[in-house]
Amino acid sequence: KFMGQILDVHQREKQLMALLGIDHVLIVAGDSDDQPRVLKDIGRLVNETLRVLLPDGRNIIAVMGGTTMARVAKELTPKLSNERELVFVPARGGIGETVDIQANTVSADMAQRTHGTHRMLYVPEHVSKETYESLLQEPSVQAVLQMITHCNAVLHSIGDAVAMAKRRGMTTEEVNMIKSEDAVGEAFGYFFNDAGEVVYKIPRIGLQIRDLDSIPYILAIAGGRSKARAIQAYMKNAPHQTWLITDEGAANQILKGL
Ligand code: BG6
């Protein structure tokens, strides 16, 4: 029975790769909407995937924030640093998250748990355009932006569009705009419709979607049936080298046609 289940999971991983048009899909058992344990398993699988995948030597890993990423960070281990130097950087400037799930926080936690290092990106959310622009000229900010440009790995999650718009404290006007544009998914501060088209973008510095094409190791980490539609929308135009690390809750929902 157990072998049968494993074969079945591999089948579904292959079906999802074909359906989503990406090279790699890994599915863990369960649904993280119902069982918090599933996110822990996703985190362990991320650790194992990075251990196998990342090349020896120096790796610059750009990470996003969110509750999934914050939870995944807790499962990373010092094993990842065998034969490697890991440098974690936040992928984009602050996009309105509370401190415990900000990219800066996740990046610092990942560095600590893997015995790597990290750099902070000091660009606050709510400053005037003038302050923002002069901050971008700061050498310490420039240095981190340079590192983001040279990253070889990206770790990010995918969120439900409306839930993310509200969590990021966007105005009622902006939330309504996103709804009227039929946004269903969000990643990196970009909002997507079912066809995978970008319908809105939070203007922030750092990694942009077009930069992903040239990055060899990209892990998109998102689970739970409530994220199925968002995942499918984002994957419409995601780089083919993306690894989707998800759970049965999301996978089964996508495979049965949402
Ligand atoms: C982040 C992504 O990693 O996770 C966001 O950059 C995404 O774009 C978010 O929406 C999802 O957050 P959560 O809390 O659902 O994991």
Side-chain angles (χ1 to χ4, degrees), residues 6 21 34 63 122 153 192 194 200 207-208 213 234 240-241:
I6 289 183
D34 304 327
V63 304
Y122 291 111
F192 305 86
D194 274 322
Y200 182 77
L207 198 74
Q208 309 297 322
D213 288 332
Y234 170 73
H240 68 88
Q241 72 273 28

Side-chain angles (χ1 to χ4, degrees), residues 64-69 157-159 164 167-168 186-188 227:
M64 289 299 301
T67 56
T68 310
M69 293 296 300
S157 187
I158 300 164
M164 287 308 112
R167 192 170 87 191
R168 266 87 186 258
E186 188 270 1
F188 301 102
K227 284 195 177 184

Side-chain angles (χ1 to χ4, degrees), residues 1 7 39 45 63 67 106 131 194:
K1 170 125 188 292
L7 277 178
L39 263 181
L45 188 56
V63 304
T67 56
V106 171
T131 308
D194 274 322

Side-chain angles (χ1 to χ4, degrees), residues 3-256:
M3 276 311 286
Q5 278 173 352
I6 289 183
L7 277 178
D8 185 47
V9 166
H10 285 314
Q11 278 291 320
R12 282 181 282 166
E13 288 170 344
K14 286 212 177 112
Q15 289 169 352
L16 262 191
M17 286 179 220
L19 184 73
L20 301 176
I22 52 173
D23 298 345
H24 317 276
V25 173
L26 298 173
I27 304 173
V28 308
D31 185 331
S32 47
D33 282 354
D34 304 327
Q35 308 142 293
R37 167 193 62 77
V38 178
L39 263 181
K40 186 186 176 87
D41 293 343
I42 288 180
R44 287 181 176 170
L45 188 56
V46 168
N47 190 61
E48 191 52 23
T49 307
L50 291 173
R51 194 183 64 76
V52 174
L53 209 59
L54 294 180
D56 289 356
R58 184 173 158 95
N59 287 267
I60 301 178
I61 307 175
V63 304
M64 289 299 301
T67 56
T68 310
M69 293 296 300
R71 185 64 192 81
V72 162
K74 303 204 181 314
E75 303 305 323
L76 300 192
T77 66
K79 258 199 220 160
L80 284 184
S81 289
N82 288 352
E83 317 292 328
R84 298 189 185 101
E85 182 199 346
L86 301 182
V87 187
F88 293 89
V89 289
R92 295 195 76 198
I95 46 180
E97 302 282 26
T98 51
V99 68
D100 52 324
I101 58 170
Q102 276 169 17
N104 267 325
T105 312
V106 171
S107 151
D109 195 29
M110 287 186 166
Q112 196 191 357
R113 289 183 195 268
T114 60
H115 299 174
T117 59
H118 72 99
R119 303 281 190 286
M120 294 283 232
L121 187 56
Y122 291 111
V123 279
E125 317 268 334
H126 305 293
V127 290
S128 67
K129 196 159 178 284
E130 293 72 32
T131 308
Y132 190 73
E133 270 158 17
S134 67
L135 266 175
L136 297 192
Q137 304 310 315
E138 278 298 315
S140 65
V141 172
Q142 285 288 331
V144 179
L145 289 178
Q146 272 297 316
M147 296 186 71
I148 296 171
T149 312
H150 291 110
C151 74
N152 65 322
V154 174
L155 310 181
H156 71 94
S157 187
I158 300 164
D160 170 79
V162 175
M164 287 308 112
K166 289 185 178 155
R167 192 170 87 191
R168 266 87 186 258
M170 288 164 62
T171 62
T172 317
E173 226 174 32
E174 285 169 313
V175 175
N176 286 341
M177 198 276 279
I178 277 174
K179 285 181 182 163
S180 71
E181 295 280 350
D182 297 320
V184 296
E186 188 270 1
F188 301 102
Y190 289 75
F191 290 79
F192 305 86
N193 62 17
D194 274 322
E197 294 156 348
V198 176
V199 297
Y200 182 77
K201 175 190 162 191
I202 300 177
R204 284 292 176 276
I205 52 155
L207 198 74
Q208 309 297 322
I209 289 265
R210 62 170 181 277
D211 303 328
L212 294 175
D213 288 332
S214 57
I215 298 171
Y217 309 106
I218 303 174
L219 271 57
I221 308 154
R225 63 185 180 284
S226 61
K227 284 195 177 184
R229 197 167 177 201
I231 294 170
Q232 185 158 21
Y234 170 73
M235 289 302 166
K236 284 269 158 66
N237 285 313
H240 68 88
Q241 72 273 28
T242 301
W243 288 72
L244 170 64
I245 304 197
T246 189
D247 60 20
E248 290 181 316
N252 293 349
Q253 191 77 12
I254 295 172
L255 287 173
K256 74 181 187 209

